[in-house]
Amino acid sequence: MAQKKKFIIGNWKMNPESTRLATGIFKSIQKGTADLSKIHTVICPPYVYLEALARLQTSTKGTQKKQKGKKKVAAQPEPVVLGAQNLNPEPLGARTGEISGEFLKQFNVKYVIIGHSERRDLGETDAVVNTKILAALGWKFKTILCIGEKVRDDDGHYFAFIKNQLEQALMGVKKEQLSSLVIAYEPVWTIGATAAMTPPLVHEMTIFIRKTLFDMYKTRTLSTPILYGGSVDPSNAQEILQQGSADGLLIGRQSLDPAGFVSIATIANTLS
Ligand code: PEP
């Protein structure tokens, strides 16, 4: 069976400080990943940079068309795709300061992060996360659901916590929609930290999340990728992907450093 492409997703959060810097980083990432055919590369910048970055995107439609009808198609490099860090579930209306998924579509946004721990810290509840997940899937975004425990206890209560987060966030999500969903497991205690979670613990949680989804959806074929996020860098990416059995990585700080991000992407490309 062909290996699935790994997801290398950068979350720029509230960075960098200017459009000039944002376009510079994006161009370097585009250049550095241009020949990598075995990964999906996604960058989620602040909303205000989407328009400028969308203009830098190139289209591969021509190449894709030519391949139609062929029996066996070798994996092709894909352009860097844009994602958003959040959305408002309403299409339009009296929501001061909010951004609707309708707007994001205009800037060629294909992915949306929902339920990042930094947004949950701002008061986003499981119910709000659920509403946003349903809206994002309804708009046909590839929807990245972030889950993760704040602390680890010795009795393994974090397993129940993760299960509950999944059940709450995915209420009303249909089995057919699972292929548009990406789960990003981000233990909050590893975000912005000095070390990532160890690969065996990532592996344990990847299996747990997969099993929870199997139980929820009563399916044996699960198309939902399960990513890891939290202090990923070029020194730990390979082990997390291999030993941790992660289908990809959600990357914060290192996604603002083109050299580091490209190096992680290159590692992932050799493993897929
Ligand atoms: C994140 O905030 O999603 C994240 C993974 O951050 P970092 O890589 O900087 O730990």
Side-chain angles (χ1 to χ4, degrees):
M1 201 174 72
Q3 276 278 18
K4 290 207 194 94
K5 290 188 177 192
K6 300 249 187 275
F7 291 79
I8 301 300
I9 304 181
N11 173 15
W12 285 1
K13 309 191 186 192
M14 204 167 70
N15 298 294
E17 59 263 50
S18 67
T19 308
R20 187 182 60 77
L21 283 173
T23 52
I25 298 170
F26 193 75
K27 277 187 203 165
S28 300
I29 292 175
Q30 282 182 310
K31 194 166 170 229
T33 57
D35 295 329
L36 306 183
S37 59
K38 295 177 183 165
I39 55 167
H40 304 286
T41 312
V42 184
I43 291 295
C44 306
Y47 293 137
V48 291
Y49 300 141
L50 284 171
E51 186 172 8
L53 301 189
R55 271 193 251 116
L56 296 175
Q57 289 183 304
T58 51
S59 166
T60 53
K61 275 179 196 153
T63 357
Q64 282 160 0
K65 254 187 203 151
K66 266 185 236 151
Q67 287 159 8
K68 269 188 188 168
K70 280 189 187 170
K71 271 196 185 143
K72 206 173 170 193
V73 177
Q76 295 295 311
E78 298 167 17
V80 179
V81 169
L82 286 173
Q85 299 173 17
N86 182 32
L87 54 62
N88 187 286
E90 296 297 325
L92 278 177
R95 296 285 186 277
T96 303
E98 291 291 291
I99 300 290
S100 152
E102 294 287 345
F103 307 164
L104 299 176
K105 292 257 166 192
Q106 298 169 41
F107 299 108
N108 208 20
V109 168
K110 303 289 186 216
Y111 287 73
V112 177
I113 298 175
I114 303 288
H116 191 279
S117 63
E118 287 156 13
R119 295 213 54 84
R120 292 182 192 256
D121 279 349
L122 294 171
E124 210 164 88
T125 61
D126 284 329
V128 172
V129 169
N130 176 241
T131 309
K132 291 184 174 185
I133 291 280
L134 293 172
L137 289 170
W139 270 309
K140 306 264 186 276
F141 288 113
K142 289 271 182 196
T143 303
I144 306 162
L145 166 64
C146 294
I147 52 169
E149 75 281 359
K150 279 199 166 168
V151 286
R152 283 228 150 181
D153 57 275
D154 293 337
D155 303 320
H157 291 308
Y158 49 87
F159 284 115
F161 182 85
I162 293 296
K163 182 168 183 280
N164 185 56
Q165 268 193 334
L166 275 172
E167 287 171 348
Q168 299 291 319
L170 299 181
M171 235 183 273
V173 172
K174 299 189 185 75
K175 203 187 270 191
E176 314 82 82
Q177 294 178 300
L178 290 180
S179 57
S180 297
L181 190 74
V182 176
I183 306 281
Y185 169 61
E186 298 206 301
V188 180
W189 48 278
T190 67
I191 294 179
T194 47
M197 195 154 111
T198 63
L201 290 183
V202 175
H203 182 64
E204 180 182 57
M205 195 49 93
T206 309
I207 290 174
F208 178 76
I209 293 169
R210 209 167 286 286
K211 160 95 176 64
T212 304
L213 292 173
F214 280 141
D215 292 345
M216 284 170 69
Y217 287 95
K218 311 275 178 264
T219 175
R220 293 201 60 75
T221 49
L222 191 66
S223 48
T224 307
I226 300 170
L227 278 47
Y228 167 82
S231 296
V232 173
D233 61 34
S235 75
N236 57 28
Q238 176 160 352
E239 285 194 334
I240 292 172
L241 289 170
Q242 276 186 316
Q243 294 174 32
S245 335
D247 297 312
L249 302 163
L250 180 54
I251 302 160
R253 286 159 294 171
Q254 285 286 313
S255 64
L256 288 153
D257 167 16
F261 187 79
V262 168
S263 141
I264 296 170
T266 307
I267 290 167
N269 193 65
T270 61
L271 300 178
S272 297

